PDB file of all heavy atoms in Angstrom:
ATOM      1  N   ASP A 327     -46.691 -23.875  -5.672  1.00 85.00           N
ATOM      2  CA  ASP A 327     -45.590 -23.148  -5.075  1.00 85.00           C
ATOM      3  C   ASP A 327     -45.097 -22.123  -6.079  1.00 85.00           C
ATOM      4  O   ASP A 327     -44.545 -22.528  -7.158  1.00 85.00           O
ATOM      5  CB  ASP A 327     -44.534 -24.137  -4.624  1.00 85.00           C
ATOM      6  CG  ASP A 327     -43.580 -23.486  -3.689  1.00 85.00           C
ATOM      7  OD1 ASP A 327     -43.568 -22.209  -3.600  1.00 85.00           O
ATOM      8  OD2 ASP A 327     -42.818 -24.269  -2.989  1.00 85.00           O
ATOM      9  N   ILE A 329     -42.435 -20.459  -5.761  1.00 91.00           N
ATOM     10  CA  ILE A 329     -41.002 -20.132  -5.485  1.00 91.00           C
ATOM     11  C   ILE A 329     -40.297 -19.738  -6.855  1.00 91.00           C
ATOM     12  O   ILE A 329     -39.234 -19.116  -6.791  1.00 91.00           O
ATOM     13  CB  ILE A 329     -40.359 -21.419  -4.836  1.00 91.00           C
ATOM     14  CG1 ILE A 329     -39.046 -21.062  -4.280  1.00 91.00           C
ATOM     15  CG2 ILE A 329     -40.310 -22.549  -5.851  1.00 91.00           C
ATOM     16  CD1 ILE A 329     -38.938 -20.070  -3.113  1.00 91.00           C
ATOM     17  N   ILE A 330     -40.735 -20.058  -7.939  1.00 90.00           N
ATOM     18  CA  ILE A 330     -40.079 -19.797  -9.258  1.00 90.00           C
ATOM     19  C   ILE A 330     -40.070 -18.344  -9.430  1.00 90.00           C
ATOM     20  O   ILE A 330     -39.185 -17.756 -10.174  1.00 90.00           O
ATOM     21  CB  ILE A 330     -40.910 -20.424 -10.449  1.00 90.00           C
ATOM     22  CG1 ILE A 330     -40.158 -20.215 -11.684  1.00 90.00           C
ATOM     23  CG2 ILE A 330     -42.313 -19.891 -10.535  1.00 90.00           C
ATOM     24  CD1 ILE A 330     -38.793 -20.864 -11.717  1.00 90.00           C
ATOM     25  N   PHE A 332     -39.042 -16.160  -7.233  1.00 93.00           N
ATOM     26  CA  PHE A 332     -37.737 -15.730  -6.570  1.00 93.00           C
ATOM     27  C   PHE A 332     -36.704 -15.646  -7.488  1.00 93.00           C
ATOM     28  O   PHE A 332     -36.384 -16.588  -8.187  1.00 93.00           O
ATOM     29  CB  PHE A 332     -37.509 -16.616  -5.375  1.00 93.00           C
ATOM     30  CG  PHE A 332     -38.463 -16.473  -4.097  1.00 93.00           C
ATOM     31  CD1 PHE A 332     -39.755 -16.590  -4.255  1.00 93.00           C
ATOM     32  CD2 PHE A 332     -37.923 -16.203  -2.831  1.00 93.00           C
ATOM     33  CE1 PHE A 332     -40.723 -16.424  -3.227  1.00 93.00           C
ATOM     34  CE2 PHE A 332     -38.804 -15.965  -1.801  1.00 93.00           C
ATOM     35  CZ  PHE A 332     -40.204 -16.135  -1.990  1.00 93.00           C
ATOM     36  N   ASN A 334     -33.417 -15.863  -7.329  1.00 92.00           N
ATOM     37  CA  ASN A 334     -32.376 -16.896  -7.291  1.00 92.00           C
ATOM     38  C   ASN A 334     -32.848 -18.279  -7.782  1.00 92.00           C
ATOM     39  O   ASN A 334     -32.080 -19.109  -8.175  1.00 92.00           O
ATOM     40  CB  ASN A 334     -31.726 -16.979  -5.830  1.00 92.00           C
ATOM     41  CG  ASN A 334     -32.783 -17.035  -4.795  1.00 92.00           C
ATOM     42  OD1 ASN A 334     -33.971 -16.685  -4.973  1.00 92.00           O
ATOM     43  ND2 ASN A 334     -32.313 -17.469  -3.590  1.00 92.00           N
ATOM     44  N   VAL A 335     -34.205 -18.519  -7.701  1.00 93.00           N
ATOM     45  CA  VAL A 335     -34.703 -19.722  -8.256  1.00 93.00           C
ATOM     46  C   VAL A 335     -35.061 -19.531  -9.796  1.00 93.00           C
ATOM     47  O   VAL A 335     -34.667 -20.462 -10.557  1.00 93.00           O
ATOM     48  CB  VAL A 335     -36.040 -20.145  -7.563  1.00 93.00           C
ATOM     49  CG1 VAL A 335     -36.639 -21.346  -8.124  1.00 93.00           C
ATOM     50  CG2 VAL A 335     -35.822 -20.150  -6.044  1.00 93.00           C
ATOM     51  N   ASP A 420     -27.714 -22.351  -2.882  1.00 93.00           N
ATOM     52  CA  ASP A 420     -28.241 -22.877  -1.657  1.00 93.00           C
ATOM     53  C   ASP A 420     -29.431 -23.689  -1.957  1.00 93.00           C
ATOM     54  O   ASP A 420     -30.337 -23.382  -2.715  1.00 93.00           O
ATOM     55  CB  ASP A 420     -28.535 -21.697  -0.669  1.00 93.00           C
ATOM     56  CG  ASP A 420     -28.992 -22.208   0.602  1.00 93.00           C
ATOM     57  OD1 ASP A 420     -28.303 -23.047   1.228  1.00 93.00           O
ATOM     58  OD2 ASP A 420     -30.010 -21.730   1.111  1.00 93.00           O
ATOM     59  N   ARG A 421     -29.627 -24.797  -1.162  1.00 93.00           N
ATOM     60  CA  ARG A 421     -30.673 -25.777  -1.395  1.00 93.00           C
ATOM     61  C   ARG A 421     -32.058 -25.156  -0.964  1.00 93.00           C
ATOM     62  O   ARG A 421     -33.066 -25.387  -1.499  1.00 93.00           O
ATOM     63  CB  ARG A 421     -30.480 -26.967  -0.501  1.00 93.00           C
ATOM     64  CG  ARG A 421     -31.574 -28.031  -0.680  1.00 93.00           C
ATOM     65  CD  ARG A 421     -31.167 -29.302   0.279  1.00 93.00           C
ATOM     66  NE  ARG A 421     -30.919 -28.890   1.639  1.00 93.00           N
ATOM     67  CZ  ARG A 421     -31.968 -28.784   2.515  1.00 93.00           C
ATOM     68  NH1 ARG A 421     -33.145 -29.017   2.193  1.00 93.00           N
ATOM     69  NH2 ARG A 421     -31.604 -28.432   3.762  1.00 93.00           N
ATOM     70  N   ILE A 422     -32.096 -24.242   0.001  1.00 94.00           N
ATOM     71  CA  ILE A 422     -33.356 -23.671   0.458  1.00 94.00           C
ATOM     72  C   ILE A 422     -33.517 -22.173  -0.043  1.00 94.00           C
ATOM     73  O   ILE A 422     -34.258 -21.400   0.387  1.00 94.00           O
ATOM     74  CB  ILE A 422     -33.441 -23.583   2.020  1.00 94.00           C
ATOM     75  CG1 ILE A 422     -32.218 -22.914   2.679  1.00 94.00           C
ATOM     76  CG2 ILE A 422     -33.586 -24.955   2.515  1.00 94.00           C
ATOM     77  CD1 ILE A 422     -32.451 -22.628   4.175  1.00 94.00           C
ATOM     78  N   ASN A 423     -32.668 -21.831  -1.080  1.00 94.00           N
ATOM     79  CA  ASN A 423     -32.768 -20.615  -1.762  1.00 94.00           C
ATOM     80  C   ASN A 423     -32.737 -19.380  -0.840  1.00 94.00           C
ATOM     81  O   ASN A 423     -33.566 -18.434  -0.850  1.00 94.00           O
ATOM     82  CB  ASN A 423     -34.091 -20.593  -2.605  1.00 94.00           C
ATOM     83  CG  ASN A 423     -34.350 -21.882  -3.421  1.00 94.00           C
ATOM     84  OD1 ASN A 423     -35.269 -22.580  -3.217  1.00 94.00           O
ATOM     85  ND2 ASN A 423     -33.434 -22.152  -4.356  1.00 94.00           N
ATOM     86  N   SER A 424     -31.727 -19.371  -0.057  1.00 96.00           N
ATOM     87  CA  SER A 424     -31.614 -18.281   0.946  1.00 96.00           C
ATOM     88  C   SER A 424     -31.200 -16.942   0.257  1.00 96.00           C
ATOM     89  O   SER A 424     -30.549 -16.948  -0.797  1.00 96.00           O
ATOM     90  CB  SER A 424     -30.646 -18.635   1.989  1.00 96.00           C
ATOM     91  OG  SER A 424     -29.384 -18.863   1.487  1.00 96.00           O
ATOM     92  N   PHE A 425     -31.685 -15.856   0.872  1.00 96.00           N
ATOM     93  CA  PHE A 425     -31.263 -14.572   0.482  1.00 96.00           C
ATOM     94  C   PHE A 425     -31.466 -13.510   1.667  1.00 96.00           C
ATOM     95  O   PHE A 425     -32.135 -13.930   2.626  1.00 96.00           O
ATOM     96  CB  PHE A 425     -32.152 -14.087  -0.767  1.00 96.00           C
ATOM     97  CG  PHE A 425     -33.588 -13.872  -0.509  1.00 96.00           C
ATOM     98  CD1 PHE A 425     -34.103 -12.697  -0.286  1.00 96.00           C
ATOM     99  CD2 PHE A 425     -34.326 -15.060  -0.542  1.00 96.00           C
ATOM    100  CE1 PHE A 425     -35.477 -12.557  -0.091  1.00 96.00           C
ATOM    101  CE2 PHE A 425     -35.796 -14.947  -0.233  1.00 96.00           C
ATOM    102  CZ  PHE A 425     -36.297 -13.637  -0.136  1.00 96.00           C
ATOM    103  N   ALA A 465     -33.897 -14.303   4.653  1.00 96.00           N
ATOM    104  CA  ALA A 465     -35.117 -15.108   4.212  1.00 96.00           C
ATOM    105  C   ALA A 465     -34.656 -16.297   3.311  1.00 96.00           C
ATOM    106  O   ALA A 465     -33.457 -16.374   2.960  1.00 96.00           O
ATOM    107  CB  ALA A 465     -36.013 -14.236   3.361  1.00 96.00           C
ATOM    108  N   ASN A 466     -35.553 -17.209   3.112  1.00 95.00           N
ATOM    109  CA  ASN A 466     -35.375 -18.330   2.255  1.00 95.00           C
ATOM    110  C   ASN A 466     -36.779 -18.804   1.742  1.00 95.00           C
ATOM    111  O   ASN A 466     -37.766 -18.077   1.917  1.00 95.00           O
ATOM    112  CB  ASN A 466     -34.616 -19.490   2.956  1.00 95.00           C
ATOM    113  CG  ASN A 466     -35.304 -19.935   4.249  1.00 95.00           C
ATOM    114  OD1 ASN A 466     -36.564 -20.173   4.287  1.00 95.00           O
ATOM    115  ND2 ASN A 466     -34.510 -20.136   5.246  1.00 95.00           N
ATOM    116  N   ARG A 467     -36.818 -19.901   1.144  1.00 94.00           N
ATOM    117  CA  ARG A 467     -38.059 -20.359   0.457  1.00 94.00           C
ATOM    118  C   ARG A 467     -39.164 -20.649   1.545  1.00 94.00           C
ATOM    119  O   ARG A 467     -40.275 -20.682   1.305  1.00 94.00           O
ATOM    120  CB  ARG A 467     -37.866 -21.576  -0.372  1.00 94.00           C
ATOM    121  CG  ARG A 467     -37.393 -22.752   0.440  1.00 94.00           C
ATOM    122  CD  ARG A 467     -37.126 -23.969  -0.516  1.00 94.00           C
ATOM    123  NE  ARG A 467     -38.262 -24.335  -1.339  1.00 94.00           N
ATOM    124  CZ  ARG A 467     -38.269 -24.628  -2.601  1.00 94.00           C
ATOM    125  NH1 ARG A 467     -37.200 -24.468  -3.280  1.00 94.00           N
ATOM    126  NH2 ARG A 467     -39.403 -24.936  -3.206  1.00 94.00           N
ATOM    127  N   ASN A 468     -38.806 -20.808   2.827  1.00 94.00           N
ATOM    128  CA  ASN A 468     -39.692 -21.255   3.862  1.00 94.00           C
ATOM    129  C   ASN A 468     -40.261 -20.027   4.625  1.00 94.00           C
ATOM    130  O   ASN A 468     -41.265 -20.168   5.247  1.00 94.00           O
ATOM    131  CB  ASN A 468     -39.012 -22.191   4.845  1.00 94.00           C
ATOM    132  CG  ASN A 468     -38.513 -23.477   4.181  1.00 94.00           C
ATOM    133  OD1 ASN A 468     -39.209 -24.013   3.352  1.00 94.00           O
ATOM    134  ND2 ASN A 468     -37.334 -23.955   4.538  1.00 94.00           N
ATOM    135  N   GLY A 469     -39.474 -18.927   4.708  1.00 94.00           N
ATOM    136  CA  GLY A 469     -39.976 -17.830   5.491  1.00 94.00           C
ATOM    137  C   GLY A 469     -38.850 -16.738   5.689  1.00 94.00           C
ATOM    138  O   GLY A 469     -37.857 -16.814   4.867  1.00 94.00           O
ATOM    139  N   ALA A 470     -39.042 -15.913   6.647  1.00 95.00           N
ATOM    140  CA  ALA A 470     -38.011 -14.863   6.820  1.00 95.00           C
ATOM    141  C   ALA A 470     -38.018 -14.470   8.321  1.00 95.00           C
ATOM    142  O   ALA A 470     -38.988 -14.534   9.093  1.00 95.00           O
ATOM    143  CB  ALA A 470     -38.338 -13.617   6.019  1.00 95.00           C
ATOM    144  N   ILE A 530     -43.674 -16.846   8.289  1.00 94.00           N
ATOM    145  CA  ILE A 530     -43.688 -18.150   7.746  1.00 94.00           C
ATOM    146  C   ILE A 530     -44.337 -18.053   6.289  1.00 94.00           C
ATOM    147  O   ILE A 530     -45.538 -17.588   6.219  1.00 94.00           O
ATOM    148  CB  ILE A 530     -44.541 -19.190   8.539  1.00 94.00           C
ATOM    149  CG1 ILE A 530     -43.753 -19.413   9.902  1.00 94.00           C
ATOM    150  CG2 ILE A 530     -44.670 -20.579   7.842  1.00 94.00           C
ATOM    151  CD1 ILE A 530     -44.487 -20.214  10.874  1.00 94.00           C
ATOM    152  N   ARG A 531     -43.588 -18.379   5.289  1.00 94.00           N
ATOM    153  CA  ARG A 531     -44.165 -18.187   3.964  1.00 94.00           C
ATOM    154  C   ARG A 531     -45.112 -19.263   3.532  1.00 94.00           C
ATOM    155  O   ARG A 531     -44.773 -20.400   3.702  1.00 94.00           O
ATOM    156  CB  ARG A 531     -42.949 -18.116   2.926  1.00 94.00           C
ATOM    157  CG  ARG A 531     -43.432 -18.088   1.470  1.00 94.00           C
ATOM    158  CD  ARG A 531     -42.211 -18.123   0.535  1.00 94.00           C
ATOM    159  NE  ARG A 531     -42.668 -18.307  -0.756  1.00 94.00           N
ATOM    160  CZ  ARG A 531     -42.780 -19.487  -1.499  1.00 94.00           C
ATOM    161  NH1 ARG A 531     -42.449 -20.582  -0.805  1.00 94.00           N
ATOM    162  NH2 ARG A 531     -43.229 -19.539  -2.686  1.00 94.00           N
ATOM    163  N   LYS A 532     -46.215 -18.914   2.945  1.00 90.00           N
ATOM    164  CA  LYS A 532     -47.100 -19.914   2.335  1.00 90.00           C
ATOM    165  C   LYS A 532     -46.665 -20.150   0.912  1.00 90.00           C
ATOM    166  O   LYS A 532     -46.164 -19.262   0.207  1.00 90.00           O
ATOM    167  CB  LYS A 532     -48.525 -19.282   2.236  1.00 90.00           C
ATOM    168  CG  LYS A 532     -49.147 -19.122   3.647  1.00 90.00           C
ATOM    169  CD  LYS A 532     -50.557 -18.565   3.503  1.00 90.00           C
ATOM    170  CE  LYS A 532     -51.222 -18.242   4.892  1.00 90.00           C
ATOM    171  NZ  LYS A 532     -52.523 -17.678   4.687  1.00 90.00           N
ATOM    172  N   PRO A 533     -46.760 -21.394   0.422  1.00 88.00           N
ATOM    173  CA  PRO A 533     -46.208 -21.719  -0.916  1.00 88.00           C
ATOM    174  C   PRO A 533     -46.825 -20.881  -2.053  1.00 88.00           C
ATOM    175  O   PRO A 533     -46.092 -20.558  -3.053  1.00 88.00           O
ATOM    176  CB  PRO A 533     -46.628 -23.220  -1.125  1.00 88.00           C
ATOM    177  CG  PRO A 533     -46.745 -23.746   0.355  1.00 88.00           C
ATOM    178  CD  PRO A 533     -47.239 -22.572   1.137  1.00 88.00           C
TER     179      PRO A 533
END
Side-chain angles (χ1 to χ4, degrees):
D327 194 343
I329 191 65
I330 186 63
F332 283 55
N334 47 343
V335 179
D420 184 50
R421 182 177 56 83
I422 58 173
N423 313 117
S424 60
F425 65 100
N466 55 48
R467 67 183 300 133
N468 301 317
I530 299 176
R531 174 183 170 268
K532 295 179 180 179

